[in-house]
Every structure is written in structure tokens, then in C-alpha cells.
Amino acid sequence: MELYAAPTWQCVMICWGTKYSTSLINNLARSIADKASSQPRFILISDRERPDLADRIELVRFPEYWLAPPLRTAGCHAKLAMFERGIVPTDLPAIYVDLDTIVLGDLSTGLALMKNRQTVAILPSAIIPFGWVGRTLHRWTNGRKYARGNSSFVIYHPGECHYIAERFRSVYAKYPKMELRPMVADERFISWSAQEHMVGIPASFAVKFPGEFMFYWGFWLYIKAWLPWVRTRRRKLVAVTLNGLMIKPEKLMSLKDGDVIVDEKARKLIWSPKTLGHMQSKIKAFCAGSLR
């Protein structure tokens, strides 16, 4: 067993079912560790034992509550287990990453987004911005309007966020059919519950692949990739999440230059260095490691 320096932060991953292989999980952890300036403690919240899991990844079993079938649908409510008391150690700040993430740089730099221990940072996904605008609307509308985000990445301190899981348990007991709008998905519930402490993760740090590299009009992908400020920002990206059924590693690895795929929202991906730049080779290298 290898020896590692004492961790200064935590990287949290979640996996239930058989969709993701242990090889992919190990490859993601290795990529994060290789690029990090300070080493994390790796925590994998899983519904089963994984015998081939890398030694440095600590497996924590899901509480049975979060494995109820209604919580493992497309809404991914089971991800809220990352906030459950007793699951993630409370001594260090944490960065949660989805397993379909490609890490290009030092993930630990995202900790600088935390204004204090109560901060919860995720990718913005709605018109209403995080900050005073979102907080004000949240107060004025009694929680009906608020800034929302995507939970592909969550930067938080486990010791300060147990209230999110506790509040979900309370609300779910009251609304077992999840008819309350913020219960649509885990990210909605996080945004709603922690609105006073929410911060948006900037597109200079991490992006969702469809939002950054796909669009309804193919010609725009060529124009966007040519823009100098876009090229500069993309070169500095720390992480990209491959969210969406059409852009999983096995699918991307089968593409030839110039191939076009269209996702469920009619957004196009043109698999070419002219639209993706250096990202195409980065994706190929990462996916090859994950699919070994």
C-alpha cells in the first residue's frame, strides 16, 4: 500500500448501481491526485463493496434511507447523502465531482470560491444569478423564486451542511410524492435549501460539456472555438463534466473526426479539433484510461 501525505481537502464521489465501473472511478481519482497541488482524501459513497477500488479511496456505504427507489430516479436525490451526518468527515472542506467528469487541472483551486465555511458552490443553471439577487428573490417570494444550479460539482464544508439532508428528510416526509417544486432534483433542493450561502462556480473553472461545446447551430461551434477569449478560457478549464446520454466516454471514443451527434435537446456536437480545440485530445486520453 502506498503512503500519501496528510490530506488538506476531500474529494467526494457517489456511485450506485452498475452504470460506472470501478476502473472509471479509479482513473478519475488518479487524474485528480496527479494534478492537485495538495492531496485530497477520497471518499466514495457506494451502495455496494468494490473489491478493485484503489487503496487510497475510502468506501462509505449509503444509508438505506437514500437508496429508496424514488430517490434514485433521474432527480438523483440520493446524491444528497453527501450532506448526511456521519457520511463525509467534518474536518476538511470537500469538493464533490460527478463520475462522468474529465479533470484537466488542479481541482483544489476551487476551494478558493468558498467565502466561509457555510459557502456552497455549484454551477449556475438558470437566469437568476447566485448572490444578492437570488437571495433577495428567495426572501421576497418565500422560496418560490431563487437562483438554481447544477450539481455536477459541489464545493462545501461537510461540517456545515448537514441541514440540507435533514431538511430533505423533513420535507420528503411531508411531501412523499415530491409535489413541492424544489424537490424536482437534488440540485434544485440544494439551491433552495442553501440559497443564503450559494455561490456560482465560474465557467473559467468548470463547465458542463453540452453547454460549452454543443449548440443547435453547427456553424456557431466553429465561430465560438475561434474566439480568442473563448480559447483562452478553455485552455484554463480545470474540469468538464460529460453530462448527457449522448456524450459518454464509450460513445465519444467511437467517433471519427467530423462526426456529428445530436442530443435529446437537439444540440449538436461536431467531433473535430476545429470546434473542440485541445479538448478533443484531452477527452480521448481521459476516456481511454477510464475504459481500460
Side-chain angles (χ1 to χ4, degrees):
M1 180 182 294
E2 294 184 59
L3 297 178
Y4 302 100
T8 58
W9 59 287
Q10 304 179 85
C11 178
V12 179
M13 301 176 286
I14 293 178
C15 186
W16 65 82
T18 58
K19 180 179 179 181
Y20 295 100
S21 68
T22 303
S23 174
L24 183 148
I25 296 169
N26 290 341
N27 185 56
L28 176 58
R30 181 170 55 250
S31 179
I32 292 170
D34 287 348
K35 295 175 175 64
S37 58
S38 59
Q39 289 300 299
R41 171 195 298 138
F42 286 97
I43 303 289
L44 174 67
I45 306 171
S46 176
D47 62 344
R48 65 197 66 203
E49 295 299 320
R50 294 181 174 270
D52 298 326
L53 196 65
D55 289 341
R56 69 178 305 166
I57 304 175
E58 179 183 346
L59 188 145
V60 179
R61 294 294 291 265
F62 263 104
E64 286 301 317
Y65 174 90
W66 297 102
L67 292 177
L71 305 186
R72 290 185 287 117
T73 62
C76 295
H77 303 89
K79 285 171 66 174
L80 296 175
M82 76 174 87
F83 304 113
E84 181 81 1
R85 196 177 298 273
I87 297 299
V88 180
T90 58
D91 57 336
L92 297 172
I95 300 179
Y96 164 82
V97 292
D98 270 355
L99 295 180
D100 50 8
T101 297
I102 295 175
V103 178
L104 307 168
D106 184 357
L107 202 64
S108 69
T109 58
L111 297 172
L113 295 172
M114 298 187 71
K115 297 180 178 180
N116 51 53
R117 282 170 55 105
Q118 287 75 40
T119 295
V120 179
I122 61 178
L123 293 171
S125 66
I127 296 175
I128 300 172
F130 289 118
W132 70 268
V133 175
R135 291 193 298 270
T136 301
L137 283 174
H138 186 258
R139 294 169 191 154
W140 284 357
T141 65
N142 197 26
R144 292 190 302 276
K145 300 289 184 182
Y146 53 95
R148 304 194 309 270
N150 176 275
S151 62
S152 296
F153 306 93
V154 183
I155 302 172
Y156 71 110
H157 199 295
E160 303 294 339
C161 293
H162 295 142
Y163 69 90
I164 297 175
E166 290 167 357
R167 189 173 189 186
F168 182 84
R169 283 175 175 265
S170 175
V171 173
Y172 188 35
K174 188 175 180 179
Y175 298 97
K177 295 183 179 180
M178 298 197 194
E179 57 268 39
L180 191 67
R181 188 64 180 166
M183 300 179 75
V184 169
D186 68 292
E187 52 217 2
R188 286 276 190 106
F189 197 83
I190 294 169
S191 301
W192 180 66
S193 299
Q195 188 67 203
E196 292 295 318
H197 307 292
M198 296 299 296
V199 171
I201 295 175
S204 57
F205 177 80
V207 295
K208 294 181 291 182
F209 185 92
E212 179 66 30
F213 297 101
M214 300 179 73
F215 200 66
Y216 308 101
W217 309 322
F219 72 87
W220 171 244
L221 296 176
Y222 291 98
I223 295 174
K224 185 176 182 180
W226 172 81
L227 297 172
W229 56 91
V230 172
R231 290 200 306 245
T232 298
R233 179 175 57 78
R234 287 179 174 179
R235 279 196 296 269
K236 296 179 180 178
L237 276 172
V238 172
V240 178
T241 181
L242 302 177
N243 62 310
L245 297 176
M246 298 301 295
I247 52 171
K248 297 308 180 189
E250 58 275 13
K251 176 68 175 179
L252 296 178
M253 291 296 284
S254 70
L255 298 176
K256 298 181 177 65
D257 278 355
D259 281 355
V260 178
I261 60 175
V262 181
D263 72 4
E264 64 279 5
K265 295 182 179 180
R267 296 173 296 191
K268 294 179 180 178
L269 162 65
I270 301 175
W271 186 248
S272 166
K274 293 181 180 178
T275 58
L276 298 170
H278 80 293
M279 193 59 63
Q280 186 188 44
S281 61
K282 296 283 188 180
I283 291 172
K284 286 181 178 180
F286 188 89
C287 291
S290 297
L291 296 173
R292 284 191 300 219

Short mmCIF file of all heavy atoms in Angstrom, two decimals, residues 110-147:
data_model
loop_
_atom_site.label_atom_id
_atom_site.label_comp_id
_atom_site.label_asym_id
_atom_site.label_seq_id
_atom_site.Cartn_x
_atom_site.Cartn_y
_atom_site.Cartn_z
N GLY A 110 -10.57 25.17 -6.59
CA GLY A 110 -11.97 25.54 -6.43
C GLY A 110 -12.33 25.90 -5.01
O GLY A 110 -13.33 26.59 -4.76
N LEU A 111 -11.51 25.48 -4.05
CA LEU A 111 -11.78 25.81 -2.65
C LEU A 111 -11.71 27.31 -2.40
O LEU A 111 -12.29 27.82 -1.43
CB LEU A 111 -10.80 25.08 -1.74
CG LEU A 111 -10.88 23.54 -1.76
CD1 LEU A 111 -9.73 22.94 -0.98
CD2 LEU A 111 -12.22 23.06 -1.22
N ALA A 112 -11.00 28.03 -3.28
CA ALA A 112 -10.89 29.48 -3.13
C ALA A 112 -12.24 30.18 -3.34
O ALA A 112 -12.40 31.35 -2.97
CB ALA A 112 -9.86 30.03 -4.12
N LEU A 113 -13.21 29.47 -3.91
CA LEU A 113 -14.54 30.05 -4.11
C LEU A 113 -15.33 30.15 -2.81
O LEU A 113 -16.33 30.86 -2.74
CB LEU A 113 -15.33 29.21 -5.11
CG LEU A 113 -14.79 29.16 -6.54
CD1 LEU A 113 -15.55 28.14 -7.37
CD2 LEU A 113 -14.89 30.54 -7.19
N MET A 114 -14.89 29.44 -1.79
CA MET A 114 -15.61 29.46 -0.52
C MET A 114 -15.32 30.76 0.23
O MET A 114 -14.18 31.07 0.56
CB MET A 114 -15.21 28.26 0.34
CG MET A 114 -15.54 26.92 -0.28
SD MET A 114 -15.22 25.52 0.84
CE MET A 114 -16.56 25.73 2.03
N LYS A 115 -16.38 31.52 0.49
CA LYS A 115 -16.23 32.77 1.22
C LYS A 115 -16.10 32.51 2.72
O LYS A 115 -15.48 33.29 3.44
CB LYS A 115 -17.44 33.67 0.95
CG LYS A 115 -17.56 34.08 -0.51
CD LYS A 115 -18.77 34.97 -0.73
CE LYS A 115 -18.86 35.42 -2.19
NZ LYS A 115 -20.05 36.28 -2.42
N ASN A 116 -16.69 31.41 3.16
CA ASN A 116 -16.60 30.99 4.55
C ASN A 116 -17.00 29.51 4.61
O ASN A 116 -17.28 28.89 3.57
CB ASN A 116 -17.50 31.84 5.47
CG ASN A 116 -18.93 31.93 4.94
OD1 ASN A 116 -19.57 30.92 4.66
ND2 ASN A 116 -19.42 33.16 4.78
N ARG A 117 -17.04 28.95 5.79
CA ARG A 117 -17.34 27.52 5.92
C ARG A 117 -18.77 27.17 5.51
O ARG A 117 -19.08 26.02 5.20
CB ARG A 117 -17.11 27.07 7.38
CG ARG A 117 -15.65 26.86 7.74
CD ARG A 117 -15.49 26.65 9.24
NE ARG A 117 -16.30 25.58 9.75
CZ ARG A 117 -15.84 24.37 10.11
NH1 ARG A 117 -14.55 24.10 10.00
NH2 ARG A 117 -16.65 23.45 10.60
N GLN A 118 -19.66 28.17 5.49
CA GLN A 118 -21.05 27.91 5.13
C GLN A 118 -21.29 27.91 3.61
O GLN A 118 -22.34 27.48 3.14
CB GLN A 118 -21.97 28.94 5.77
CG GLN A 118 -22.15 28.78 7.27
CD GLN A 118 -20.92 29.23 8.05
OE1 GLN A 118 -20.31 30.24 7.73
NE2 GLN A 118 -20.56 28.48 9.08
N THR A 119 -20.33 28.39 2.85
CA THR A 119 -20.50 28.50 1.40
C THR A 119 -20.79 27.16 0.75
O THR A 119 -20.18 26.13 1.08
CB THR A 119 -19.22 29.09 0.76
OG1 THR A 119 -19.03 30.42 1.22
CG2 THR A 119 -19.33 29.11 -0.76
N VAL A 120 -21.73 27.17 -0.20
CA VAL A 120 -22.00 26.02 -1.05
C VAL A 120 -21.90 26.53 -2.49
O VAL A 120 -22.66 27.42 -2.89
CB VAL A 120 -23.39 25.41 -0.80
CG1 VAL A 120 -23.62 24.23 -1.74
CG2 VAL A 120 -23.53 24.97 0.65
N ALA A 121 -20.97 25.99 -3.27
CA ALA A 121 -20.75 26.46 -4.65
C ALA A 121 -21.12 25.36 -5.64
O ALA A 121 -20.69 24.22 -5.50
CB ALA A 121 -19.29 26.87 -4.83
N ILE A 122 -21.92 25.73 -6.65
CA ILE A 122 -22.26 24.81 -7.74
C ILE A 122 -22.31 25.58 -9.04
O ILE A 122 -22.24 26.81 -9.06
CB ILE A 122 -23.60 24.07 -7.49
CG1 ILE A 122 -24.77 25.05 -7.38
CG2 ILE A 122 -23.53 23.20 -6.25
CD1 ILE A 122 -26.12 24.35 -7.19
N LEU A 123 -22.45 24.86 -10.15
CA LEU A 123 -22.52 25.50 -11.46
C LEU A 123 -23.88 26.18 -11.63
O LEU A 123 -24.91 25.54 -11.41
CB LEU A 123 -22.34 24.47 -12.58
CG LEU A 123 -20.97 23.80 -12.69
CD1 LEU A 123 -21.04 22.65 -13.69
CD2 LEU A 123 -19.91 24.80 -13.13
N PRO A 124 -23.92 27.45 -12.03
CA PRO A 124 -25.21 28.11 -12.27
C PRO A 124 -25.93 27.45 -13.45
O PRO A 124 -25.30 27.00 -14.40
CB PRO A 124 -24.81 29.55 -12.63
CG PRO A 124 -23.40 29.70 -12.11
CD PRO A 124 -22.78 28.35 -12.23
N SER A 125 -27.27 27.40 -13.38
CA SER A 125 -28.02 26.78 -14.48
C SER A 125 -29.33 27.50 -14.78
O SER A 125 -30.19 26.95 -15.45
CB SER A 125 -28.32 25.31 -14.15
OG SER A 125 -29.18 25.21 -13.04
N ALA A 126 -29.48 28.72 -14.27
CA ALA A 126 -30.72 29.47 -14.51
C ALA A 126 -30.39 30.94 -14.72
O ALA A 126 -29.26 31.40 -14.48
CB ALA A 126 -31.68 29.29 -13.34
N ILE A 127 -31.39 31.70 -15.17
CA ILE A 127 -31.19 33.12 -15.45
C ILE A 127 -30.90 33.90 -14.18
O ILE A 127 -30.06 34.80 -14.15
CB ILE A 127 -32.43 33.70 -16.16
CG1 ILE A 127 -32.61 33.04 -17.53
CG2 ILE A 127 -32.31 35.21 -16.32
CD1 ILE A 127 -33.88 33.45 -18.25
N ILE A 128 -31.60 33.57 -13.10
CA ILE A 128 -31.39 34.27 -11.83
C ILE A 128 -30.00 33.95 -11.30
O ILE A 128 -29.66 32.78 -11.12
CB ILE A 128 -32.46 33.86 -10.80
CG1 ILE A 128 -33.86 34.19 -11.32
CG2 ILE A 128 -32.21 34.57 -9.47
CD1 ILE A 128 -34.98 33.64 -10.45
N PRO A 129 -29.17 34.95 -11.05
CA PRO A 129 -27.80 34.68 -10.59
C PRO A 129 -27.72 34.44 -9.09
O PRO A 129 -28.53 34.95 -8.32
CB PRO A 129 -27.06 35.96 -10.96
CG PRO A 129 -28.11 37.03 -10.84
CD PRO A 129 -29.40 36.39 -11.29
N PHE A 130 -26.72 33.64 -8.68
CA PHE A 130 -26.45 33.49 -7.27
C PHE A 130 -25.93 34.82 -6.72
O PHE A 130 -25.40 35.64 -7.45
CB PHE A 130 -25.40 32.40 -7.04
CG PHE A 130 -25.92 31.00 -7.29
CD1 PHE A 130 -25.36 30.21 -8.28
CD2 PHE A 130 -26.95 30.49 -6.52
CE1 PHE A 130 -25.84 28.93 -8.50
CE2 PHE A 130 -27.44 29.21 -6.74
CZ PHE A 130 -26.87 28.43 -7.73
N GLY A 131 -26.09 35.01 -5.43
CA GLY A 131 -25.66 36.26 -4.82
C GLY A 131 -26.85 37.02 -4.29
O GLY A 131 -27.90 36.44 -3.98
N TRP A 132 -26.71 38.34 -4.22
CA TRP A 132 -27.75 39.13 -3.58
C TRP A 132 -29.07 39.09 -4.35
O TRP A 132 -30.15 39.16 -3.75
CB TRP A 132 -27.28 40.58 -3.39
CG TRP A 132 -27.15 41.36 -4.66
CD1 TRP A 132 -26.05 41.51 -5.45
CD2 TRP A 132 -28.18 42.14 -5.29
NE1 TRP A 132 -26.32 42.31 -6.53
CE2 TRP A 132 -27.63 42.72 -6.45
CE3 TRP A 132 -29.52 42.41 -4.98
CZ2 TRP A 132 -28.35 43.54 -7.32
CZ3 TRP A 132 -30.26 43.23 -5.84
CH2 TRP A 132 -29.66 43.79 -6.98
N VAL A 133 -29.01 38.94 -5.69
CA VAL A 133 -30.25 38.88 -6.48
C VAL A 133 -31.03 37.62 -6.12
O VAL A 133 -32.23 37.67 -5.83
CB VAL A 133 -29.94 38.92 -7.99
CG1 VAL A 133 -31.24 38.72 -8.79
CG2 VAL A 133 -29.29 40.23 -8.38
N GLY A 134 -30.36 36.47 -6.17
CA GLY A 134 -31.02 35.22 -5.84
C GLY A 134 -31.53 35.20 -4.41
O GLY A 134 -32.65 34.73 -4.14
N ARG A 135 -30.71 35.70 -3.49
CA ARG A 135 -31.13 35.71 -2.09
C ARG A 135 -32.34 36.60 -1.87
O ARG A 135 -33.26 36.24 -1.12
CB ARG A 135 -29.97 36.18 -1.20
CG ARG A 135 -28.81 35.19 -1.12
CD ARG A 135 -27.86 35.56 0.00
NE ARG A 135 -27.25 36.87 -0.20
CZ ARG A 135 -26.10 37.07 -0.84
NH1 ARG A 135 -25.45 36.04 -1.38
NH2 ARG A 135 -25.59 38.29 -0.96
N THR A 136 -32.33 37.77 -2.52
CA THR A 136 -33.45 38.70 -2.36
C THR A 136 -34.75 38.11 -2.90
O THR A 136 -35.81 38.18 -2.24
CB THR A 136 -33.14 40.03 -3.07
OG1 THR A 136 -31.95 40.60 -2.51
CG2 THR A 136 -34.30 41.01 -2.91
N LEU A 137 -34.70 37.51 -4.09
CA LEU A 137 -35.90 36.89 -4.67
C LEU A 137 -36.38 35.73 -3.81
O LEU A 137 -37.59 35.54 -3.64
CB LEU A 137 -35.60 36.40 -6.09
CG LEU A 137 -35.55 37.47 -7.18
CD1 LEU A 137 -35.10 36.87 -8.51
CD2 LEU A 137 -36.92 38.13 -7.35
N HIS A 138 -35.46 35.00 -3.28
CA HIS A 138 -35.80 33.87 -2.41
C HIS A 138 -36.58 34.36 -1.20
O HIS A 138 -37.58 33.74 -0.79
CB HIS A 138 -34.51 33.15 -1.99
CG HIS A 138 -34.73 31.89 -1.22
ND1 HIS A 138 -34.58 31.82 0.15
CD2 HIS A 138 -35.08 30.65 -1.62
CE1 HIS A 138 -34.82 30.59 0.55
NE2 HIS A 138 -35.13 29.85 -0.49
N ARG A 139 -36.13 35.48 -0.61
CA ARG A 139 -36.83 36.03 0.56
C ARG A 139 -38.17 36.63 0.17
O ARG A 139 -39.19 36.38 0.83
CB ARG A 139 -35.96 37.11 1.22
CG ARG A 139 -34.66 36.58 1.84
CD ARG A 139 -33.76 37.72 2.22
NE ARG A 139 -32.42 37.31 2.57
CZ ARG A 139 -31.34 38.07 2.47
NH1 ARG A 139 -31.47 39.32 2.03
NH2 ARG A 139 -30.16 37.62 2.80
N TRP A 140 -38.19 37.45 -0.90
CA TRP A 140 -39.41 38.15 -1.29
C TRP A 140 -40.53 37.19 -1.73
O TRP A 140 -41.71 37.48 -1.55
CB TRP A 140 -39.11 39.11 -2.43
CG TRP A 140 -38.41 40.35 -1.99
CD1 TRP A 140 -38.07 40.73 -0.72
CD2 TRP A 140 -37.94 41.41 -2.85
NE1 TRP A 140 -37.42 41.93 -0.72
CE2 TRP A 140 -37.33 42.39 -2.01
CE3 TRP A 140 -37.97 41.63 -4.22
CZ2 TRP A 140 -36.76 43.55 -2.51
CZ3 TRP A 140 -37.41 42.79 -4.73
CH2 TRP A 140 -36.80 43.74 -3.87
N THR A 141 -40.15 36.07 -2.35
CA THR A 141 -41.17 35.15 -2.86
C THR A 141 -41.38 33.95 -1.94
O THR A 141 -42.06 32.99 -2.31
CB THR A 141 -40.76 34.63 -4.26
OG1 THR A 141 -39.55 33.85 -4.14
CG2 THR A 141 -40.55 35.78 -5.23
N ASN A 142 -40.78 34.03 -0.76
CA ASN A 142 -40.92 32.94 0.22
C ASN A 142 -40.46 31.60 -0.37
O ASN A 142 -41.08 30.56 -0.17
CB ASN A 142 -42.37 32.82 0.70
CG ASN A 142 -42.49 32.01 1.98
OD1 ASN A 142 -41.55 31.92 2.78
ND2 ASN A 142 -43.63 31.36 2.17
N GLY A 143 -39.35 31.64 -1.13
CA GLY A 143 -38.75 30.43 -1.66
C GLY A 143 -39.28 29.96 -3.00
O GLY A 143 -38.83 28.94 -3.52
N ARG A 144 -40.22 30.72 -3.62
CA ARG A 144 -40.76 30.28 -4.91
C ARG A 144 -39.79 30.61 -6.05
O ARG A 144 -39.75 29.90 -7.06
CB ARG A 144 -42.12 30.94 -5.17
CG ARG A 144 -43.22 30.45 -4.23
CD ARG A 144 -44.59 30.94 -4.68
NE ARG A 144 -44.65 32.40 -4.76
CZ ARG A 144 -44.90 33.19 -3.73
NH1 ARG A 144 -45.09 32.67 -2.52
NH2 ARG A 144 -44.96 34.51 -3.87
N LYS A 145 -39.04 31.69 -5.94
CA LYS A 145 -38.06 32.08 -6.95
C LYS A 145 -36.69 32.13 -6.30
O LYS A 145 -36.53 32.69 -5.21
CB LYS A 145 -38.41 33.45 -7.54
CG LYS A 145 -39.77 33.53 -8.22
CD LYS A 145 -39.79 32.75 -9.52
CE LYS A 145 -41.14 32.95 -10.22
NZ LYS A 145 -41.20 32.16 -11.49
N TYR A 146 -35.70 31.61 -6.98
CA TYR A 146 -34.35 31.60 -6.42
C TYR A 146 -33.36 31.19 -7.50
O TYR A 146 -33.75 30.63 -8.54
CB TYR A 146 -34.27 30.62 -5.24
CG TYR A 146 -34.76 29.23 -5.56
CD1 TYR A 146 -33.87 28.22 -5.94
CD2 TYR A 146 -36.12 28.91 -5.49
CE1 TYR A 146 -34.32 26.94 -6.25
CE2 TYR A 146 -36.57 27.64 -5.79
CZ TYR A 146 -35.67 26.67 -6.17
OH TYR A 146 -36.13 25.41 -6.48
N ALA A 147 -32.10 31.46 -7.27
CA ALA A 147 -31.06 31.04 -8.20
C ALA A 147 -30.86 29.54 -8.09
O ALA A 147 -30.87 28.98 -6.99
CB ALA A 147 -29.75 31.77 -7.88
#
